[in-house]
């Protein structure tokens, strides 16, 4: 048991005439007009109430009521009771019910106390042993004036995500430490409230996994005067499990009004009762039982107020005739033996692709950056080997090199494109002709990850059902260009062969004197979609404002010396019992606050906190509506707990997150405030730029400024970003990556995101990751986009959280890697974030964009408690993830890992010291 077992209720003695006298006192103590109109409770009910409340009403004992005023009797439906209903009797602080009047009325459980707290928190009214009626949880305040005078006063409904009736989540054992959780309306928890440091966690209940405040533990095990049916004697007051039950929440401080005066109150939910502790009360009335009977009656039979906020949902894609035609048209390629198509811009061919069934591909792209003026980058894929070189005037520039890929290349392989993978809008254009063939035109529109609007038209033959031509309007370097696609050869034998003299590609060379053929940025053209890239300790407060409450008669002393302390701007005396408002310069706020808190003339001093009314916070950023995935991972609810404000731990700064990638555009308006530093480990030419755009996009997913009326929002609005450029459009080098990992670690990064990968293991990266992990850094990596089960690096390395991609229906994306090394899944289709080009906002696909979603959640977790170890972060992420379909929590799935990341559950677990061991 979580508390020492107590003796049974004292057996009833012979009834004497004193009972009549005591009963008269008891009823007289509750002058209520309604009480005279209801039938008196039956003897077994009255016996339970009299035992603890008669000593109070008679003046023998000075303590809180256990039951209080009897104000209503009801006949309520209950399936197992005779006739389908039972009698219930309502008191201020509880309810007693007679479910089966046919058993012996001397039985201790003839009249029982209901699980009212559970019903109000869950909204499930119990109409039988297993018959529940669902309604909205009780929006009735937990303590203080009802209706509340403070909009921040929490309600029973606000405990919905903070209680555990079945041990489904557990807090850590915090016995002996300060009870420092603070709760406000909406379920927001501040985890470092230390105003009353004398109140400790007294005992841990391993059954439900919650700590009991020492002040409540003492109360539940107390002794004092009780009425035994004939006289008042001393004895144990409570059988704790019968009267209170086990704890179902942690103890939480909050602030309410009592008769219009603000009071700090500690409260804790147990299975049957709510206990409150008010330090300002006289000692015998500091611990009281909450008015749960009144609150329940108000909720069930009166007006309980508006329903609590619920998780916002996102719009899921739906099929259209244009999408179905486009999908079927490309599936028709499966009937071909070979295919060639080309892309042109300004009438110049820039890409030519040839497929030869079942296992060969030739890819040729104009690429002056890699291969020099007039050069073309070439790939030949046969089975599991990919050859690469640069061609100038059709002649090889270097020796052919090759790498082996994890799965055999097979074509035709055009499967159904699922709604899960859609990132474009599909519609029909007017019907036209191409040569002698009538065609239907399908229009596809959407943003690419560079932030440009791309509009594509594909002409599909009404005769063969094959695509014939297409054109894409695309912006590049600030100018619109048109890329044309022509499917110009069907069923021809191209005779694709392996090039002679090819040698293995050496990734350790950094690409010197050989073309880069790797899996960092696959160059394969995808006709379906845009390019897929691989890859509270402190609430918000008014700046510079402090609330100060002086002890009686001390305000004048402070006012006389107001002009002397440096940095003080103004002092505004509070009215009545309200605190005074002190305005100071931001740079002296912390020192002033510290000085006030140790001043014997000061009752309390605190920041002028900003409280938030809703349990779900949605930002005002103009493109937020495009970021569907934030709702999928429950980010809005996580933001109701914390948006990235540093809440204490081992450091004094915001959480640092390193983005090891292609760099970051330093002047992007949504990133610049959070960009702490930029470093070029690749060639030193672009320390504050991003030649590719990939790193800028990834950084925005993690830490774009939220709620600032522009662009979209990141997951952690306050995280400080360390940017490391480690490559160009060809890829990233092992040397630059490993140097960046070590430097980021030395600069205090707590999270490192790695949206890149290869099937080649680089020992330098392996060593750098081991170093970072040993320094308490959480490492997150993209699983890869090859639809392969072969482990890629660094995602499959020990101490790395490997993230797979999900689509817009919540199922695995078709391109995502899978297998036993996957840790978590996160959305990876149509992810929208900060773009490189001109401070734009764009959208793209890939596990590259799933990884920073998890990295952002980790940053939020660490902002609540920076003392979390990487192992603890991993443990919480796994335990709070939404399991894969058909799996239980903690069970591994090849495509989901341990499940879909749940930002709210993870942050809540940290804020409430939830323990999963």
């Amino acid at each position: 048991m979580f508390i020492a077992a107590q003796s049974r209720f004292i057996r009833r003695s012979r009834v004497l005439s004193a009972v009549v006298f005591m009963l008269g006192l008891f009823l007289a103590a509750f002058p209520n007009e309604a009480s005279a109109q209801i039938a008196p409770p039956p003897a077994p009910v009255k016996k339970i109430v009299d035992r603890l409340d008669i000593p109070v009403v008679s003046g023998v004992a000075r303590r809180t009521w256990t039951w209080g005023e009897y104000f209503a009797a009801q006949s309520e439906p209950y399936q197992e009771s005779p006739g389908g209903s039972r009698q219930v009797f309502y008191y201020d602080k509880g309810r007693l019910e007679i479910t089966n009047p046919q058993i012996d009325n001397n039985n201790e459980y003839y009249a029982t106390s209901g699980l009212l707290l559970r019903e109000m928190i869950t909204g499930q009214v119990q109409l039988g042993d297993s018959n529940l009626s669902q309604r909205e949880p009780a929006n009735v305040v937990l303590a203080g004036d009802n209706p509340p005078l403070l909009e921040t006063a929490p309600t029973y409904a606000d405990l919905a995500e903070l209680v555990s009736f079945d041990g489904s989540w557990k807090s850590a054992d915090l016995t002996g430490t300060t009870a420092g959780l603070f709760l406000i309306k909406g379920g927001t928890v501040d985890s470092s409230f230390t105003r009353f440091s004398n109140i400790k966690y007294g005992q841990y209940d391993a059954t439900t996994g919650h700590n009991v405040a020492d002040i409540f533990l003492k109360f539940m095990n107390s002794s004092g005067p009780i009425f035994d049916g004939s006289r008042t004697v001393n004895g144990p007051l409570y059988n704790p499990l019968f009267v209170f039950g086990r704890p179902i929440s942690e103890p939480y401080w909050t602030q309410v009004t009592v008769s219009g005066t603000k009071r700090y109150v500690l409260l804790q939910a147990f299975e049957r009762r709510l206990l409150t502790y008010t330090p300002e009360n006289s000692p015998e009335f500091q611990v009281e039982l909450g008015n749960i009977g009144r609150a329940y009656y108000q909720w069930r039979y009166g007006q309980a107020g508006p329903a609590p906020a619920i998780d916002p949902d996102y719009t899921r894609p739906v099929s259209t005739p244009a999408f179905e035609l486009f999908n079927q048209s490309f599936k028709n390629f499966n009937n071909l033996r070979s295919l060639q198509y080309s892309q042109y811009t300004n009438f110049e061919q820039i890409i030519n692709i040839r497929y030869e069934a079942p296992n060969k591909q030739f890819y040729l792209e104009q690429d002056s950056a890699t291969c020099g003026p007039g050069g073309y980058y070439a790939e030949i894929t046969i089975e599991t080997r990919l050859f690469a070189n640069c061609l100038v005037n059709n002649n090889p520039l270097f020796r052919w090199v090759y790498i082996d890929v994890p799965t055999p290349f097979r074509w035709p392989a055009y499967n159904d494109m699922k709604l899960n993978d859609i990132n474009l809008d599909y519609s029909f254009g007017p019907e036209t002709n191409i040569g002698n063939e009538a065609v239907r035109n399908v229009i596809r529109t959407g943003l690419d990850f560079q932030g440009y609007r791309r509009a594509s038209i594909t002409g599909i033959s009404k005769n063969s059902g094959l695509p014939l031509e297409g054109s894409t309007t695309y912006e590049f370097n600030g100018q619109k260009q048109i890329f044309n696609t022509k499917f110009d050869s069907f069923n021809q034998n191209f005779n694709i062969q392996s090039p002679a003299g090819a040698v293995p590609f050496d990734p350790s060379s950094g690409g010197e004197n050989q073309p880069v053929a790797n899996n960092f940025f696959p160059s394969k053209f995808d006709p379906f979609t845009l390019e897929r890239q691989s890859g509270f300790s402190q609430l918000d407060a008014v700046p510079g404002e402090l609330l100060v409450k002086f002890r009686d008669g001390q305000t004048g002393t402070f006012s006389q010396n107001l002009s002397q302390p440096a940095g003080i701007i103004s002092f505004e005396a509070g009215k009545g019992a309200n605190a005074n408002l002190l305005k100071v310069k931001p740079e002296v706020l912390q020192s002033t606050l510290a000085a006030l808190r140790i001043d014997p003339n000061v009752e309390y001093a605190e920041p002028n906190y900003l409280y938030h009314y809703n349990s779900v916070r949605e930002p005002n950023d103009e493109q937020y509506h495009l970021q569907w995935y934030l709702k999928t991972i429950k980010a809005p609810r996580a933001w109701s707990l914390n948006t990235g404000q540093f809440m204490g731990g081992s450091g004094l700064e915001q959480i640092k997150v390193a983005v090891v990638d292609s760099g970051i555009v330093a002047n992007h308006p949504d990133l610049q405030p959070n960009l702490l530093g930029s470093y070029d480990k690749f060639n030193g030419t672009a320390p504050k730029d991003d030649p590719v755009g990939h790193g800028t996009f990834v950084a925005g997913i993690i830490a774009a400024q939220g709620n600032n009326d522009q662009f979209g929002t990141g997951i952690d609005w306050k995280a400080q970003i360390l940017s490391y450029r480690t490559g160009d459009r060809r890829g990233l080098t092992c040397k630059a990556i490993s140097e960046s990992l070590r430097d980021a670690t030395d600069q205090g990064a707590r999270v490192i995101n790695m949206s890149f990968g290869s099937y080649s293991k680089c020992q330098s990266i392996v060593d750098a990751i081991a170093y970072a992990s040993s320094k308490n850094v959480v490492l997150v990596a993209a699983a890869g986009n090859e639809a392969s089960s072969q482990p890629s690096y660094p995602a499959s390395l020990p101490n790395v959280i490997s993230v797979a991609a999900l689509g817009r229906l919540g199922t695995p994306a078709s391109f995502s890697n899978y297998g036993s090394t996957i840790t978590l899944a996160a959305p990876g289709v149509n992810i929208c974030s900060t773009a490189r080009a001109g401070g734009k906002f764009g959208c793209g696909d890939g596990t590259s964009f799933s990884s920073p979603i998890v990295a952002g959640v980790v940053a939020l977790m660490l902002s609540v408690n920076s003392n979390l170890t990487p192992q603890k972060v991993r443990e919480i992420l796994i335990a709070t993830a939404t399991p894969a379909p058909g799996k239980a929590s903690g069970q591994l799935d090849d495509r989901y890992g341990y499940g879909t990341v749940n930002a709210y559950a993870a942050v809540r677990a940290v804020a409430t010291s939830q323990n999963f061991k």
Side-chain angles (χ1 to χ4, degrees):
M1 293 186 182
F2 73 99
I3 47 181
Q6 300 288 345
S7 62
R8 298 288 186 185
F9 288 141
I10 297 176
R11 297 185 181 279
R12 181 170 53 180
S13 299
R14 192 174 47 180
V15 179
L16 301 176
S17 58
V19 174
V20 178
F21 171 72
M22 290 295 183
L23 179 61
L25 288 176
F26 181 53
L27 294 177
F30 302 110
N32 186 295
E33 188 175 322
S35 64
Q37 301 173 2
I38 55 177
V45 171
K46 189 172 74 67
K47 179 183 72 170
I48 294 173
V49 175
D50 289 355
R51 180 180 183 274
L52 291 168
D53 278 4
I54 276 186
V56 176
V57 74
S58 65
V60 175
R62 280 183 54 79
R63 63 173 182 252
T64 179
W65 302 105
T66 301
W67 296 97
E69 181 183 4
Y70 169 50
F71 66 87
Q74 297 280 139
S75 177
E76 294 179 348
Y78 200 83
Q79 187 172 338
E80 281 73 24
S81 293
S85 63
R86 65 181 177 182
Q87 286 298 115
V88 296
F89 306 91
Y90 283 98
Y91 294 81
D92 279 341
K93 299 180 182 299
R95 182 184 75 181
L96 287 164
E97 59 223 13
I98 301 175
T99 301
N100 185 3
Q102 298 173 354
I103 66 173
D104 181 5
N105 64 11
N106 290 316
N107 187 301
E108 183 177 357
Y109 295 95
Y110 178 80
T112 57
S113 176
L115 301 177
L116 305 189
L117 202 62
R118 180 178 191 140
E119 291 190 28
M120 286 191 288
I121 293 171
T122 64
Q124 295 178 333
V125 179
Q126 192 161 14
L127 303 180
D129 292 348
S130 58
N131 183 13
L132 301 174
S133 175
Q134 184 66 54
R135 59 170 295 174
E136 292 294 340
N139 201 18
V140 180
V141 288
L142 289 163
D145 295 328
N146 186 16
L149 300 181
L150 285 178
E151 292 182 315
T152 54
T155 69
Y156 289 90
D158 294 331
L159 290 176
E161 301 293 342
L162 301 172
V163 298
S164 172
F165 299 101
D166 55 4
S168 57
W169 70 266
K170 297 184 177 183
S171 170
D173 185 344
L174 302 174
T175 302
T177 62
T178 299
L181 300 178
F182 192 91
L183 174 68
I184 65 170
K185 186 172 177 60
T188 299
V189 176
D190 170 4
S191 63
S192 68
F193 182 75
T194 58
R195 177 177 175 80
F196 300 99
S197 58
N198 59 310
I199 304 300
K200 310 291 185 182
Y201 296 108
Q203 193 169 336
Y204 180 71
D205 185 335
T207 301
T208 58
H210 289 291
N211 297 278
V212 181
D214 55 4
I215 194 73
F216 295 146
L217 194 67
K218 179 182 178 182
F219 175 81
M220 290 187 288
N221 287 281
S222 60
S223 298
I226 57 175
F227 183 68
D228 70 357
S230 61
R231 59 197 175 92
T232 299
V233 297
N234 285 321
L237 295 181
Y238 308 109
N239 176 344
L241 288 180
F242 182 90
V243 177
F244 305 101
R246 295 187 180 277
I248 56 173
S249 81
E250 295 295 285
Y252 294 102
W253 289 100
T254 191
Q255 193 171 44
V256 299
T257 58
V258 179
S259 300
T261 302
K262 289 183 181 180
R263 292 283 186 267
Y264 285 106
V265 176
L266 181 72
L267 53 87
Q268 184 163 15
F270 295 82
E271 289 173 313
R272 301 180 184 278
R273 295 297 186 103
L274 184 81
L275 286 179
T276 64
Y277 166 70
T278 308
E280 293 179 280
N281 287 356
S282 57
E284 59 270 30
F285 292 107
Q286 286 180 328
V287 176
E288 298 180 286
L289 289 89
N291 289 331
I292 193 171
R294 288 278 184 185
Y296 181 89
Y297 195 84
Q298 175 191 351
W299 170 64
R300 185 162 179 173
Y301 297 108
Q303 297 297 316
I310 59 175
D311 287 327
D313 204 355
Y314 67 95
T315 302
R316 289 161 179 79
V318 295
S319 183
T320 66
F323 167 73
E324 296 294 342
L325 176 63
F326 186 85
N327 199 4
Q328 181 59 47
S329 176
F330 279 91
K331 281 176 58 182
N332 291 341
F333 280 151
N334 292 327
N335 300 319
L336 302 176
R337 297 191 308 275
S338 66
L339 167 68
Q340 173 179 265
Y341 59 87
S342 303
Q343 286 192 342
Y344 300 82
T345 182
N346 299 327
F347 306 103
E348 180 182 5
Q349 185 183 97
I350 59 169
I351 295 176
N352 180 265
I353 302 175
R354 299 173 186 175
Y355 292 112
E356 187 177 290
N359 64 342
K360 297 179 181 180
Q361 172 198 247
F362 176 77
Y363 176 91
L364 187 68
E365 178 183 4
Q366 187 181 76
D367 188 351
S368 298
T370 302
C371 301
Y376 280 79
Y377 172 74
E379 287 182 358
I380 297 174
T381 305
I382 300 176
E383 284 292 329
T384 59
R385 184 158 288 183
L386 185 151
F387 303 87
N389 207 336
C390 287
L391 304 180
V392 178
N393 297 323
N394 292 321
N395 295 315
L397 186 61
F398 309 119
R399 294 183 66 181
W400 283 91
V401 297
Y402 67 83
I403 62 171
D404 289 321
V405 295
T407 56
F409 176 78
R410 287 292 183 269
W411 187 89
Y414 289 104
N415 300 316
D416 274 319
M417 184 173 66
K418 307 297 184 183
L419 293 174
N420 192 57
D421 287 346
I422 282 185
N423 63 1
L424 298 172
D425 295 323
Y426 290 78
S427 61
F428 282 125
E431 294 187 12
T432 57
N433 291 308
I434 297 177
N436 295 323
E437 290 204 57
V439 301
R440 298 198 71 182
N441 291 293
V442 175
I443 301 173
R444 298 175 295 149
T445 56
L447 289 174
D448 78 342
F449 93 106
Q450 293 279 14
Y452 293 117
R453 191 78 179 170
R454 177 177 285 184
S456 301
I457 301 177
T458 302
I460 299 172
S461 169
K462 296 179 70 174
N463 178 37
S464 67
L466 290 168
L468 302 177
E469 289 183 1
S471 67
T472 299
T473 302
Y474 181 67
E475 289 186 65
F476 186 74
N477 290 335
Q479 297 182 346
K480 285 188 177 181
Q481 296 189 27
I482 296 179
F483 292 81
N484 296 305
T485 301
K486 183 179 181 182
F487 299 90
D488 47 16
S489 298
F490 299 102
N491 291 331
Q492 294 184 12
N493 184 4
F494 300 117
N495 195 25
I496 301 172
Q497 299 294 327
S498 302
V503 297
F505 174 71
D506 180 10
S508 65
S509 71
E512 296 296 329
N513 299 318
Q514 57 182 327
V516 177
N518 57 33
N519 293 299
F520 290 110
F521 294 94
S523 55
K524 298 172 185 176
F525 173 76
D526 184 342
F528 295 132
T529 64
L530 303 182
E531 182 182 6
R532 287 185 171 131
Q533 301 300 316
S534 81
F536 298 99
S537 172
Q538 178 175 310
L539 300 176
D540 293 336
V542 179
E545 292 191 0
L546 297 173
L547 296 180
V548 186
K549 181 70 178 298
F550 296 97
R551 302 191 187 280
D552 292 344
Q554 302 302 318
T555 306
T557 303
F558 182 83
S559 301
Q560 292 169 8
N561 299 318
L562 184 60
S563 59
Q564 297 178 7
I568 293 181
I569 299 173
S570 65
F571 176 84
E572 180 182 325
K575 296 180 180 179
N578 291 325
N580 308 285
L581 178 63
L582 179 64
K583 293 184 178 181
V584 301
K585 294 179 180 179
E587 61 267 23
V588 301
L589 185 141
Q590 292 299 328
S591 59
T592 304
L593 180 60
L596 288 168
R597 284 179 168 171
I598 63 174
D599 189 328
N601 296 323
V602 175
E603 182 177 336
Y604 66 83
E606 60 189 358
N608 190 11
Y609 291 125
L610 291 171
Y611 283 73
H612 307 287
Y613 299 115
N614 299 320
S615 62
V616 177
R617 173 190 288 191
E618 294 208 69
N620 60 16
D621 304 87
E622 59 185 357
Q623 303 297 332
Y624 169 72
H625 67 282
L626 297 177
Q627 296 178 290
W628 64 273
Y629 57 92
L630 293 171
K631 297 174 183 177
T632 299
I633 67 167
K634 300 186 183 297
R637 295 193 74 182
W639 293 329
S640 72
L641 300 176
N642 191 276
T643 59
Q645 301 92 338
F646 185 72
M647 298 173 69
S650 60
L652 298 175
E653 299 176 329
Q654 299 297 128
I655 299 302
K656 296 178 182 178
V657 181
V659 177
V660 178
D661 213 288
S662 62
I664 294 177
V665 174
N667 62 356
H668 194 293
D670 231 15
L671 294 176
Q672 190 276 331
N674 290 353
L675 185 57
L676 184 63
S678 292
Y679 311 93
D680 189 342
K681 298 293 183 180
F682 181 63
N683 60 17
T685 63
K688 294 186 178 181
D689 198 6
D690 179 2
V692 179
H694 191 265
T696 301
F697 197 94
V698 166
I701 295 171
I702 298 171
Q705 288 271 297
N707 210 43
N708 63 347
D709 288 304
Q710 60 179 341
F711 302 101
T713 181
I715 295 172
D716 185 320
W717 301 357
K718 307 292 185 181
Q720 294 182 319
I721 295 293
L722 295 170
S723 169
Y724 289 89
R725 183 187 177 219
T726 56
D728 58 15
R729 65 180 302 274
R730 299 171 300 169
L732 304 82
T733 67
C734 176
K735 177 178 181 293
I737 292 169
S738 57
E739 289 181 359
S740 298
L741 292 172
R742 289 180 179 275
D743 189 74
T745 301
D746 292 341
Q747 293 214 45
R750 290 302 316 280
V751 188
I752 298 179
N753 184 80
M754 302 175 289
S755 288
F756 52 79
S758 173
Y759 297 107
S760 300
K761 182 189 288 188
C762 173
Q763 189 60 43
S764 178
I765 293 178
V766 173
D767 293 344
I769 284 176
Y771 174 74
S773 182
S774 72
K775 299 295 185 178
N776 218 27
V777 179
V778 182
L779 298 120
V780 188
N785 299 335
E786 304 302 315
S788 169
S789 61
Q790 178 174 337
S792 68
Y793 303 99
S796 61
L797 292 173
N799 303 318
V800 175
I801 297 171
S802 174
V803 187
L806 302 178
R808 295 181 64 189
L809 298 182
T811 56
S814 62
F815 55 82
S816 180
N817 281 7
Y818 56 94
S820 60
T821 61
I822 302 299
T823 312
L824 292 170
V829 171
N830 202 33
I831 306 302
C832 301
S833 182
T834 47
R836 168 182 177 267
K840 290 180 178 290
F841 193 77
C843 306
D845 299 343
T847 57
S848 265
F849 307 146
S850 306
S851 176
I853 289 175
V854 173
V857 173
V858 172
L860 268 187
M861 295 165 64
L862 291 172
S863 70
V864 175
N865 182 0
S866 69
N867 290 324
L868 295 176
T869 64
Q871 181 58 35
K872 188 64 177 178
V873 168
R874 184 186 183 94
E875 174 189 312
I876 293 172
L877 286 172
I878 290 173
T880 58
T882 303
K887 300 286 187 179
S889 179
Q891 287 186 321
L892 190 64
D893 180 89
D894 276 358
R895 296 191 177 273
Y896 291 85
Y898 289 99
T900 305
V901 65
N902 184 324
Y904 173 65
V907 175
R908 182 196 69 177
V910 177
T912 57
S913 302
Q914 189 171 343
N915 187 7
F916 297 98
K917 291 184 178 180

